[in-house]
Short mmCIF file of all heavy atoms in Angstrom, two decimals:
data_model
loop_
_atom_site.label_atom_id
_atom_site.label_comp_id
_atom_site.label_asym_id
_atom_site.label_seq_id
_atom_site.Cartn_x
_atom_site.Cartn_y
_atom_site.Cartn_z
N ASN A 144 -37.38 -4.13 4.21
CA ASN A 144 -36.45 -5.23 3.86
C ASN A 144 -35.07 -4.95 4.40
O ASN A 144 -34.19 -5.81 4.30
CB ASN A 144 -36.46 -5.35 2.37
CG ASN A 144 -37.85 -5.62 1.85
OD1 ASN A 144 -38.56 -6.37 2.43
ND2 ASN A 144 -38.21 -4.91 0.70
N ASP A 145 -34.75 -3.76 4.88
CA ASP A 145 -33.38 -3.48 5.25
C ASP A 145 -33.34 -2.53 6.39
O ASP A 145 -33.44 -1.30 6.30
CB ASP A 145 -32.67 -2.71 3.98
CG ASP A 145 -31.22 -2.62 4.21
OD1 ASP A 145 -30.63 -2.96 5.32
OD2 ASP A 145 -30.56 -2.17 3.23
N PRO A 146 -33.27 -3.13 7.62
CA PRO A 146 -33.32 -2.35 8.81
C PRO A 146 -32.09 -1.46 9.05
O PRO A 146 -32.05 -0.48 9.81
CB PRO A 146 -33.44 -3.38 9.90
CG PRO A 146 -33.02 -4.67 9.33
CD PRO A 146 -33.16 -4.57 7.91
N ILE A 147 -30.99 -1.79 8.36
CA ILE A 147 -29.75 -0.95 8.60
C ILE A 147 -29.09 -0.58 7.19
O ILE A 147 -27.99 -0.84 6.85
CB ILE A 147 -28.60 -1.68 9.37
CG1 ILE A 147 -28.46 -3.13 8.88
CG2 ILE A 147 -28.96 -1.68 10.86
CD1 ILE A 147 -27.21 -3.81 9.34
N PRO A 148 -29.94 0.20 6.47
CA PRO A 148 -29.46 0.61 5.00
C PRO A 148 -28.16 1.38 5.12
O PRO A 148 -27.37 1.33 4.12
CB PRO A 148 -30.69 1.47 4.56
CG PRO A 148 -31.33 1.91 5.69
CD PRO A 148 -31.22 0.85 6.76
N HIS A 149 -27.89 2.16 6.17
CA HIS A 149 -26.74 3.06 6.22
C HIS A 149 -25.47 2.18 6.06
O HIS A 149 -24.38 2.66 5.64
CB HIS A 149 -26.73 3.86 7.45
CG HIS A 149 -26.63 3.24 8.67
ND1 HIS A 149 -27.53 2.31 9.23
CD2 HIS A 149 -25.70 3.15 9.58
CE1 HIS A 149 -27.18 1.82 10.37
NE2 HIS A 149 -26.03 2.38 10.61
N THR A 150 -25.53 0.90 6.56
CA THR A 150 -24.19 0.08 6.35
C THR A 150 -24.28 -0.76 5.14
O THR A 150 -23.36 -0.99 4.55
CB THR A 150 -23.98 -0.72 7.69
OG1 THR A 150 -25.20 -1.44 8.03
CG2 THR A 150 -23.49 0.06 8.84
N THR A 151 -25.45 -1.35 4.93
CA THR A 151 -25.57 -2.37 3.86
C THR A 151 -25.36 -1.72 2.49
O THR A 151 -24.55 -2.28 1.67
CB THR A 151 -26.92 -3.12 3.80
OG1 THR A 151 -27.98 -2.11 3.84
CG2 THR A 151 -27.02 -4.07 4.91
N ILE A 152 -25.79 -0.46 2.34
CA ILE A 152 -25.67 0.16 0.96
C ILE A 152 -24.13 0.43 0.70
O ILE A 152 -23.63 0.14 -0.38
CB ILE A 152 -26.48 1.55 0.89
CG1 ILE A 152 -27.95 1.19 0.99
CG2 ILE A 152 -26.12 2.29 -0.37
CD1 ILE A 152 -28.85 2.38 0.99
N GLY A 153 -23.47 0.95 1.67
CA GLY A 153 -21.99 1.33 1.51
C GLY A 153 -21.14 0.02 1.44
O GLY A 153 -20.27 0.04 0.65
N GLN A 154 -21.46 -0.97 2.30
CA GLN A 154 -20.65 -2.21 2.21
C GLN A 154 -20.74 -2.95 0.87
O GLN A 154 -19.79 -3.46 0.42
CB GLN A 154 -21.27 -3.14 3.30
CG GLN A 154 -20.64 -2.90 4.63
CD GLN A 154 -21.43 -3.58 5.76
OE1 GLN A 154 -22.47 -4.27 5.50
NE2 GLN A 154 -20.95 -3.49 6.96
N GLY A 155 -21.94 -2.72 0.16
CA GLY A 155 -22.08 -3.52 -1.09
C GLY A 155 -21.54 -2.77 -2.21
O GLY A 155 -21.52 -3.29 -3.32
N ALA A 156 -21.10 -1.55 -2.12
CA ALA A 156 -20.69 -0.74 -3.23
C ALA A 156 -19.25 -1.00 -3.72
O ALA A 156 -18.42 -1.21 -2.89
CB ALA A 156 -20.94 0.76 -2.86
N ASP A 157 -19.06 -0.91 -5.05
CA ASP A 157 -17.72 -0.88 -5.54
C ASP A 157 -17.21 0.58 -5.60
O ASP A 157 -16.03 0.82 -5.60
CB ASP A 157 -17.67 -1.43 -6.95
CG ASP A 157 -17.89 -2.96 -6.95
OD1 ASP A 157 -17.27 -3.61 -6.12
OD2 ASP A 157 -18.73 -3.45 -7.70
N LEU A 158 -18.19 1.49 -5.62
CA LEU A 158 -17.78 2.98 -5.68
C LEU A 158 -19.00 3.76 -5.44
O LEU A 158 -20.13 3.31 -5.64
CB LEU A 158 -17.36 3.27 -7.19
CG LEU A 158 -16.92 4.63 -7.47
CD1 LEU A 158 -15.64 4.59 -8.30
CD2 LEU A 158 -17.91 5.43 -8.21
N ILE A 159 -18.81 4.96 -4.79
CA ILE A 159 -19.92 5.84 -4.52
C ILE A 159 -19.54 7.24 -5.24
O ILE A 159 -18.41 7.69 -5.11
CB ILE A 159 -20.03 6.18 -3.03
CG1 ILE A 159 -20.42 4.81 -2.32
CG2 ILE A 159 -21.10 7.14 -2.73
CD1 ILE A 159 -20.65 4.93 -0.75
N VAL A 160 -20.47 7.67 -5.96
CA VAL A 160 -20.26 9.07 -6.71
C VAL A 160 -21.32 9.96 -6.17
O VAL A 160 -22.48 9.61 -6.13
CB VAL A 160 -20.15 8.80 -8.23
CG1 VAL A 160 -21.37 8.12 -8.81
CG2 VAL A 160 -20.01 10.21 -8.83
N VAL A 161 -20.96 11.10 -5.68
CA VAL A 161 -21.96 12.10 -5.15
C VAL A 161 -22.01 13.20 -6.14
O VAL A 161 -20.99 13.98 -6.32
CB VAL A 161 -21.50 12.57 -3.74
CG1 VAL A 161 -22.56 13.55 -3.22
CG2 VAL A 161 -21.25 11.39 -2.72
N ALA A 162 -23.17 13.40 -6.73
CA ALA A 162 -23.28 14.47 -7.78
C ALA A 162 -24.80 14.96 -7.87
O ALA A 162 -25.64 14.13 -8.06
CB ALA A 162 -22.90 13.91 -9.18
N PRO A 163 -25.06 16.21 -7.52
CA PRO A 163 -24.12 17.20 -7.09
C PRO A 163 -23.83 17.11 -5.56
O PRO A 163 -24.70 16.66 -4.89
CB PRO A 163 -24.88 18.55 -7.39
CG PRO A 163 -26.37 18.12 -7.29
CD PRO A 163 -26.46 16.72 -7.79
N ALA A 164 -22.62 17.49 -5.20
CA ALA A 164 -22.41 17.66 -3.77
C ALA A 164 -22.48 18.97 -3.32
O ALA A 164 -21.78 19.87 -3.85
CB ALA A 164 -20.92 17.02 -3.56
N THR A 165 -23.43 19.30 -2.43
CA THR A 165 -23.69 20.70 -2.05
C THR A 165 -22.64 21.07 -0.92
O THR A 165 -22.01 20.25 -0.38
CB THR A 165 -25.02 20.84 -1.54
OG1 THR A 165 -25.17 19.87 -0.45
CG2 THR A 165 -26.09 20.52 -2.54
N ALA A 166 -22.70 22.35 -0.62
CA ALA A 166 -21.70 22.83 0.45
C ALA A 166 -22.07 22.13 1.74
O ALA A 166 -21.19 21.72 2.46
CB ALA A 166 -21.97 24.37 0.61
N ARG A 167 -23.32 21.89 2.02
CA ARG A 167 -23.74 21.23 3.31
C ARG A 167 -23.34 19.82 3.32
O ARG A 167 -22.81 19.24 4.32
CB ARG A 167 -25.21 21.38 3.41
CG ARG A 167 -25.88 20.60 4.57
CD ARG A 167 -27.30 20.97 4.68
NE ARG A 167 -28.14 19.95 5.07
CZ ARG A 167 -29.03 19.95 5.95
NH1 ARG A 167 -29.34 21.06 6.54
NH2 ARG A 167 -29.84 18.90 6.24
N LEU A 168 -23.48 19.10 2.15
CA LEU A 168 -23.23 17.65 2.07
C LEU A 168 -21.67 17.51 2.21
O LEU A 168 -21.19 16.58 2.95
CB LEU A 168 -23.68 17.17 0.70
CG LEU A 168 -23.70 15.67 0.45
CD1 LEU A 168 -24.33 14.90 1.47
CD2 LEU A 168 -24.54 15.48 -0.89
N ILE A 169 -20.90 18.35 1.55
CA ILE A 169 -19.50 18.30 1.64
C ILE A 169 -18.99 18.51 3.11
O ILE A 169 -18.15 17.69 3.65
CB ILE A 169 -18.81 19.35 0.79
CG1 ILE A 169 -18.92 18.88 -0.70
CG2 ILE A 169 -17.33 19.56 1.11
CD1 ILE A 169 -18.70 19.99 -1.78
N SER A 170 -19.52 19.50 3.81
CA SER A 170 -19.17 19.77 5.10
C SER A 170 -19.56 18.68 6.11
O SER A 170 -18.79 18.33 7.00
CB SER A 170 -19.76 21.09 5.51
OG SER A 170 -19.38 22.08 4.55
N ALA A 171 -20.74 18.17 5.89
CA ALA A 171 -21.14 17.01 6.83
C ALA A 171 -20.29 15.81 6.65
O ALA A 171 -19.79 15.18 7.49
CB ALA A 171 -22.61 16.65 6.41
#
Side-chain angles (χ1 to χ4, degrees):
N144 301 318
D145 189 355
I147 47 165
H149 65 295
T150 49
T151 49
I152 295 176
Q154 277 166 354
D157 289 316
L158 180 138
I159 299 182
V160 54
V161 184
T165 58
R167 173 173 145 137
L168 192 46
I169 287 165
S170 305

